[in-house]
């Protein structure tokens, strides 16, 4: 049946999806903006011979054999390696009719003749609002671009652990087209894939419905903060074992590395796979005992969407043993030992973001640059002043904050935690105010960010810098901030 989205911002399927056409520009604008703009050089390279950077997780970590459900992640069809045409977009050139499996994503394509297929992994944070309470994401969501008359079927990898052959798990797919999310039936499923006959092409991903909490093939990823000499700090993320969730973690780490707090994180390669049950609480412990915050975490789609993680801090030197246990039973589902060699990282191993070449920046970015250039040409500030715009630019007014708050969508809590540095406790305090409508809650959130900035460093350009190039931020918010920048530069 059709599921109407509620308060969905900037639907990536709104411009070019139709029942007979696949997408290209819409999802490229929604899922690839922040990644394509910082490393355009990937457009000319094949990814088959490239090793992952320190902050990225290897795709090989997603492949494992579950002894409980016998879900072999080894290919059952002809394995083909895609060509990477950008950081996120892949392309397969299939030479003849047949069934082929992508070595990077696990997608299985059935084609009737020679064809090129372009596809990319999307984030469920953009599409979860299309699902009713009874349907849950069961694997990564993709945008596939191909002639639908040639592409006969697609098999999507799923992350559910099917321990019981008589399980009541019901699989379908969410098909987003024409700004609507439609639940379409699958034709078959196995321990690792959900098969769907292609009707038209637009964002599609596997979903499932169960009478009890589902068990997922999960991953635990550990990132170490580099640059500390006498102490050791880590971030430990939980996620489903699928490309979309892992991609969300990678993006969260990249954004943390690009923040102005000068913290840098690199991946500590440890066996990541485990079994995680939906809506169950897990506790992270360590030997020797370290400072771990929070003490426990609920595994759910919302946690992954909010980029939730454990923060672990040691004053001693390695080795450290980390263990993830079920809170109610103390059963250990994952453990790893971090040795001294795992902590031999320096800031040199984190590559700084390089400016793109041969590609024009989007309007929202150029407005900010234009603002600084105009002030510099006018002689009102020198180069050192450009590095410290707070010396010249006033803080955002209440009226300006209200304009931004009115355009903020339902993802305002994600924006607060991921990009404005607020905590869960901050949001709970903001929401505790009674008789406040949603717009005022969003205003209070922005006001709390403003009050925490140093005097003169809560201006339009500072907020614009925090929010731009992030998928979770509505384009309307970036647009109004760009207009404010342009207006202030004109004055």
């Amino acid at each position: 049946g059709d599921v109407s989205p509620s308060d969905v911002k900037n639907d990536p399927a709104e411009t070019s999806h139709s029942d007979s056409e696949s997408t290209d520009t819409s999802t490229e604008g929604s899922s690839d903006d922040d990644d394509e703009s910082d490393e355009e050089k990937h457009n000319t390279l094949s990814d088959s011979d490239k090793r992952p950077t320190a902050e990225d997780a290897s795709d090989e970590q997603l492949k494992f054999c579950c002894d409980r459900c016998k879900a072999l992640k080894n290919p059952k069809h002809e394995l083909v390696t895609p060509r990477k045409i950008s950081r996120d977009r892949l392309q397969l050139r299939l030479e003849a009719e047949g069934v082929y499996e992508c070595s990077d994503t696990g997608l299985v394509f059935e084609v009737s003749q020679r064809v090129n297929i372009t596809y990319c992994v999307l984030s469920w944070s953009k599409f979860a609002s299309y699902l009713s309470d009874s349907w849950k994401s069961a694997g990564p969501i993709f945008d596939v671009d191909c002639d639908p008359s040639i592409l006969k079927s697609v098999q999507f990898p799923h992350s559910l652990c099917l321990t019981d052959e008589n399980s009541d798990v019901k699989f379908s797919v969410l098909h987003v087209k024409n700004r609507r999310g439609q639940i379409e039936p699958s034709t078959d499923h196995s321990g690792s894939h959900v098969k769907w006959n292609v009707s038209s092409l637009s964002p599609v991903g596997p979903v499932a419905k169960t009478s009890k909490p589902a068990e997922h093939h999960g991953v635990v990823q550990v990132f170490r903060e580099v640059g500390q000499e006498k102490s050791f700090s880590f971030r430990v993320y939980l996620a489903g074992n699928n490309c979309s969730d892992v991609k969300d973690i990678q993006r969260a780490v990249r954004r943390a590395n690009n923040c102005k707090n000068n913290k840098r994180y690199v991946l500590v390669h440890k066996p990541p796979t485990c079994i995680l049950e939906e809506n169950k609480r897990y506790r992270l412990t360590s030997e020797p005992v370290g400072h771990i915050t929070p003490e426990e975490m609920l595994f759910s789609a919302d946690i992954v969407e909010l980029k939730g993680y454990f923060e672990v801090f040691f004053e001693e030197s390695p080795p450290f043993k980390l263990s993830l246990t079920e809170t109610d039973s103390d059963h250990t589902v994952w453990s790893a030992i971090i040795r001294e060699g795992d902590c031999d990282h320096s800031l040199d191993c984190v590559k700084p973001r390089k400016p793109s070449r041969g590609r024009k920046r989007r309007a929202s970015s150029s407005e900010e640059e234009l603002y600084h250039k105009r002030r510099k040409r006018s002689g009102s500030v020198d180069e050192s002043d450009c590095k410290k715009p707070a010396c010249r630019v006033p803080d955002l007014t209440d009226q300006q904050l209200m304009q931004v708050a009115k355009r903020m969508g339902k993802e305002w809590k994600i924006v607060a935690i991921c990009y404005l540095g607020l905590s869960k406790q901050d949001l709970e305090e903001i929401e505790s105010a009674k008789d406040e409508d949603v717009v005022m809650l969003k205003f209070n959130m922005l006001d709390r960010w403003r009050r925490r900035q140093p005097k003169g460093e809560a201006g339009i350009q500072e907020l614009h810098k925090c929010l731009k190039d992030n998928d979770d931020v509505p384009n309307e918010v970036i647009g109004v901030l760009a207009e404010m920048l342009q207006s202030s530069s004109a004055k």
Side-chain angles (χ1 to χ4, degrees):
D2 288 341
V3 182
S4 298
S6 57
D7 195 19
V8 180
K9 56 97 182 175
N10 189 31
D11 177 23
E14 65 180 337
T15 57
S16 61
H17 293 317
S18 68
D19 289 353
S20 60
E21 284 187 342
S22 62
T23 64
D24 184 47
T25 59
S26 59
T27 54
E28 189 172 1
S30 62
S31 71
D32 297 336
D33 280 347
D34 61 339
D35 293 330
E36 286 189 356
S37 62
D38 62 358
E39 289 192 22
E40 187 66 21
K41 64 180 181 179
H42 285 274
N43 287 344
T44 59
L45 297 178
S46 170
D47 192 48
S48 58
D49 297 327
K50 299 289 290 182
R51 293 184 62 83
T53 61
E55 65 187 28
D56 291 337
S58 170
D59 291 330
E60 294 179 357
Q61 292 178 331
L62 297 174
K63 301 172 184 177
F64 75 110
C65 176
C66 176
D67 292 332
R68 297 175 60 184
C69 66
K70 307 300 181 184
L72 292 174
K73 299 303 177 183
N74 297 324
K76 301 176 182 178
H77 309 284
E78 183 176 346
L79 197 64
V80 287
T81 301
R83 182 175 69 92
K84 179 170 279 191
I85 58 178
S86 71
R87 180 191 288 272
D88 288 332
R89 299 190 73 81
L90 305 173
Q91 185 179 73
L92 276 181
R93 177 169 294 181
L94 306 179
E95 299 296 335
E97 177 183 4
V99 181
Y100 304 86
E101 180 171 347
C102 170
S103 61
D104 281 17
T105 64
L107 276 175
V108 178
F109 301 104
E110 181 183 6
V111 298
S112 59
Q113 64 184 60
R114 178 179 179 178
V115 71
N116 289 340
I117 305 176
T118 303
Y119 48 101
C120 67
V121 184
L122 304 178
S123 171
W124 270 109
S125 62
K126 285 183 166 294
F127 300 97
S129 57
Y130 290 101
L131 296 175
S132 63
D133 292 338
S134 57
W135 289 102
K136 305 292 183 182
S137 62
I141 184 169
F142 294 89
D143 180 42
V144 180
D145 183 13
C146 179
D147 186 344
S149 64
I150 299 176
L151 183 58
K152 299 168 63 176
S153 70
V154 180
Q155 295 183 39
F156 300 95
H158 70 77
S159 60
L160 268 62
C161 182
L162 305 181
T163 56
D164 184 2
E165 294 182 357
N166 299 319
S167 173
D168 64 345
V169 176
K170 180 181 179 181
F171 284 101
S172 291
V173 297
L174 173 68
H175 189 188
V176 181
K177 54 184 179 181
N178 298 329
R179 304 195 66 179
R180 294 186 66 85
Q182 186 172 10
I183 302 296
E184 297 185 1
S186 58
T187 58
D188 194 9
H189 73 269
S190 65
S192 59
H193 285 77
V194 177
K195 186 177 181 180
W196 173 67
N197 289 335
V198 175
S199 57
S200 64
L201 290 173
S202 52
V204 184
V207 295
K209 180 188 295 186
T210 61
S211 60
K212 56 184 180 180
E215 291 186 319
H216 288 259
H217 298 134
V219 293
V220 179
Q221 293 196 320
V222 182
F223 293 84
R224 189 214 163 192
E225 181 183 344
V226 299
Q228 300 187 39
E229 298 180 357
K230 298 182 180 180
S231 60
F232 298 87
S233 181
F234 301 87
R235 285 186 177 187
V236 180
Y237 289 83
L238 306 184
N241 191 357
N242 68 73
C243 302
S244 291
D245 286 356
V246 172
K247 178 179 178 180
D248 283 343
I249 294 176
Q250 294 172 0
R251 283 184 170 179
V253 174
R254 284 200 297 270
R255 288 163 182 162
N257 287 343
N258 290 325
C259 286
K260 57 184 179 182
N261 57 13
N262 294 323
K263 290 186 177 181
R264 297 292 184 269
Y265 296 90
V266 295
L267 178 68
V268 179
H269 291 275
K270 293 296 175 182
T273 55
C274 62
I275 298 295
L276 298 175
E277 185 175 324
E278 197 173 83
N279 297 325
K280 175 169 283 191
R281 290 192 172 276
Y282 292 89
R283 179 184 295 113
L284 188 69
T285 59
S286 65
E287 298 178 12
V289 177
H291 303 278
I292 301 177
T293 306
E295 295 182 356
E296 59 183 44
M297 183 183 297
L298 181 72
F299 175 71
S300 68
D302 293 337
I303 290 297
V304 174
E305 183 178 338
L306 289 172
K307 317 298 186 296
Y309 58 87
F310 292 98
E311 186 174 54
V312 187
F313 179 78
F314 296 99
E315 295 181 354
E316 300 88 350
S317 298
F320 313 121
K321 181 178 181 180
L322 298 178
S323 299
L324 187 70
T325 61
E326 297 176 353
T327 301
D328 55 357
S329 66
D330 288 332
H331 171 65
T332 300
V333 299
W334 174 89
S335 65
I337 297 177
I338 300 177
R339 299 176 174 83
E340 185 175 357
D342 298 319
C343 299
D344 291 340
H345 300 120
S346 65
L347 288 174
D348 295 335
C349 65
V350 182
K351 297 180 180 179
R353 172 172 290 192
K354 296 181 179 180
S356 58
R357 296 180 180 178
R359 178 186 176 99
K360 293 183 179 179
R361 288 184 177 270
R362 292 178 293 169
S364 59
S365 298
S366 61
E367 294 291 351
E368 184 179 16
E369 293 178 355
L370 182 61
Y371 170 81
H372 291 299
K373 289 179 180 178
R374 285 176 177 173
R375 290 179 62 87
K376 187 174 180 180
R377 285 199 301 267
S378 66
S380 58
V381 292
D382 58 18
E383 185 175 355
S384 61
D385 289 329
C386 290
K387 296 179 181 179
K388 298 180 181 180
C391 297
R392 297 286 180 177
V393 182
D395 290 346
L396 282 154
T397 65
D398 289 347
Q399 291 74 18
Q400 290 172 326
L401 281 188
M402 182 58 73
Q403 291 185 52
V404 178
K406 287 181 178 180
R407 291 164 174 80
M408 193 75 70
K410 62 182 294 184
E411 66 293 309
W412 65 279
K413 296 180 184 179
I414 301 176
V415 172
I417 293 176
C418 295
Y419 314 123
L420 298 183
L422 272 65
S423 66
K424 182 181 178 182
Q425 182 178 353
D426 290 325
L427 297 182
E428 290 175 349
E429 292 175 358
I430 291 171
E431 291 184 304
S432 65
K434 297 182 179 180
D435 302 327
E436 293 280 15
D437 60 22
V438 177
V439 175
M440 282 305 302
L441 294 178
K442 299 171 185 176
F443 174 85
N444 292 338
M445 177 270 291
L446 293 169
D447 179 57
R448 182 164 295 205
W449 168 83
R450 177 179 61 179
R451 287 188 283 108
R452 288 186 177 178
Q453 307 310 305
K455 186 65 176 177
E457 295 186 15
I460 303 170
Q461 64 270 44
E462 282 80 16
L463 184 58
H464 183 267
K465 184 177 180 180
C466 291
L467 299 184
K468 70 173 184 177
D469 296 333
N470 294 313
D471 288 345
D472 301 314
V473 181
N475 285 352
E476 292 83 355
V477 171
I478 303 302
V480 72
L481 288 172
E483 291 175 2
M484 292 179 186
L485 277 174
Q486 187 175 15
S487 176
S488 63
S489 62
K491 293 178 182 179

